[in-house]
Amino acid sequence: METPGLVVHGEAAPFSTALRSLVNNPLYSDVRFVVGQERQEVFAHRCLLACRCNFFQRLLGSEPGPGVPSPVVLSTVPAEAFLAVLEFLYTNSAKLHRHSVLEVLTAAVEYGLEELRELCLQFVMKVLDVELVCEALQIAVSFGLGPLQERCVAFIEAHSQETLRTRGFLELSAPALLLLLRSDKLCVDEAELVLAARSWARVGAAVLERPVAEVAAPVVRELRLALLAPAELSALEEQNRREPLIPVEQIVEAWKCHALRRGDAARGAPCRRRRGTLPREHHRFLDLPFK
């Protein structure tokens, strides 16, 4: 009786090096891509992509066309990120960089590459900083990446003031900003949050060519105006007349809270203090202290 065969393994490093040499190599290439806004030409090998990734299997089909194939245009993925994806498909490894890892992560999610997605998530969580966190949060919200979303929110809660000053904060979507404004653990005062929300809405209004109040509508309800002192609330009310941001009824609710000196007096007006809320004389009347 013949004995079962034995699987033997050669050295992995030379094999990986050889395959890596084929990344973006026109030698034996049978498919070309034009990628990114810079329209960079990238060479690849149809059979390798198709056997490693269902997305490319569907994209490229089972039979190559005659002669030199027309380039496949992928305009939304930057060339650097696409080459990292190819490197992973060819070698099962990739070199990640802080400045481009979120683009690689986006491509991995869109192409259904779960292993690369997890590697990118691990890397992002290691290099997360003030400049990166809002963009990472936006991707987490867009693609439903729960662990990354939680990590980003926790980071912003601990570094709130620095994060509010970044360009990434101004570019957050309304759903992403809502996550932050609903947090009790932000280390920032409400007056600064109101200013940040106004700046965010102004940027959105300029990009979308819509009124500031319309852009702000999905998020301003989460601003806790009752935490502001009467003088601050009066100043906000005056500015709101000049540049509408907050619904008038929301400001009225905050005034009710002051008049009755009860945190639950204005139904729907949040009175809970955040971790970074500065103390004000009227806070002792609020029924919902920070916990």
Side-chain angles (χ1 to χ4, degrees):
M1 183 176 179
E2 185 177 352
T3 58
L6 177 66
V7 177
V8 296
H9 299 275
E11 291 291 329
F15 177 76
S16 178
T17 300
L19 285 176
R20 184 173 280 107
S21 71
L22 293 177
V23 175
N24 197 20
N25 189 337
L27 183 64
Y28 308 124
S29 170
D30 57 359
V31 62
R32 292 184 299 130
F33 295 90
V34 174
V35 299
Q37 297 301 313
E38 62 271 39
R39 297 185 61 80
Q40 180 174 328
E41 187 177 50
V42 175
F43 296 93
H45 304 81
R46 184 185 300 264
C47 64
L48 200 152
L49 298 187
C51 75
R52 286 277 284 152
C53 177
N54 289 335
F55 171 84
F56 286 110
Q57 186 179 62
R58 294 189 300 270
L59 179 68
L60 301 175
S62 57
E63 294 294 335
V68 178
S70 299
V72 178
V73 178
L74 298 173
S75 59
T76 59
V77 56
E80 183 178 353
F82 187 73
L83 288 170
V85 170
L86 288 191
E87 182 182 6
F88 180 79
L89 292 177
Y90 279 63
T91 68
N92 212 41
S93 64
K95 189 172 185 179
L96 300 176
H97 301 275
R98 179 196 168 281
H99 70 273
S100 60
V101 63
L102 294 177
E103 295 166 340
V104 180
L105 172 60
T106 299
V109 173
E110 292 178 341
Y111 300 164
L113 298 171
E114 295 186 7
E115 188 176 6
L116 179 58
R117 181 195 66 187
E118 291 305 311
L119 292 172
C120 289
L121 287 173
Q122 294 171 19
F123 184 85
V124 170
M125 292 184 186
K126 288 180 181 178
V127 302
L128 203 61
D129 60 19
V130 167
E131 294 300 326
L132 192 67
V133 67
C134 285
E135 189 178 354
L137 175 62
Q138 186 58 62
I139 289 175
V141 171
S142 298
F143 293 112
L145 304 175
L148 178 60
Q149 179 175 300
E150 292 174 8
R151 178 72 180 87
C152 289
V153 170
F155 184 95
I156 294 171
E157 287 171 341
H159 304 86
S160 305
Q161 291 184 330
E162 303 97 314
T163 302
L164 295 184
R165 302 187 189 106
T166 65
R167 177 180 175 181
F169 173 81
L170 298 176
E171 295 176 348
L172 285 174
S173 67
L177 181 54
L178 271 175
L179 277 177
L180 301 179
L181 295 183
R182 287 171 177 163
S183 171
D184 292 340
K185 298 179 181 180
L186 291 176
C187 291
V188 64
D189 187 62
E190 209 65 24
E192 290 187 57
L193 273 182
V194 172
L195 291 175
R198 186 179 293 276
S199 297
W200 172 86
R202 284 171 175 167
V203 170
V207 172
L208 300 173
E209 298 183 343
R210 291 162 50 195
V212 169
E214 184 180 330
V215 172
V219 303
V220 291
R221 276 289 175 187
E222 299 300 327
L223 294 173
R224 305 176 184 183
L225 303 185
L227 296 177
L228 301 178
E232 294 171 306
L233 199 53
S234 293
L236 175 62
E237 194 170 23
E238 179 58 33
Q239 185 177 14
N240 206 58
R241 292 192 187 99
R242 298 193 304 269
E243 182 187 34
L245 174 75
I246 299 169
V248 173
E249 58 269 21
Q250 186 176 348
I251 298 177
V252 170
E253 289 172 349
W255 279 120
K256 285 181 180 179
C257 189
H258 279 278
L260 300 178
R261 293 189 170 186
R262 287 181 55 198
D264 61 348
R267 186 178 180 185
C271 295
R272 273 196 316 279
R273 282 171 263 189
R274 304 183 198 267
R275 181 170 287 165
T277 300
L278 297 177
R280 293 165 174 82
E281 192 276 335
H282 75 286
H283 286 178
R284 60 196 178 98
F285 299 109
L286 302 182
D287 294 331
L288 299 170
F290 169 74
K291 295 181 180 179

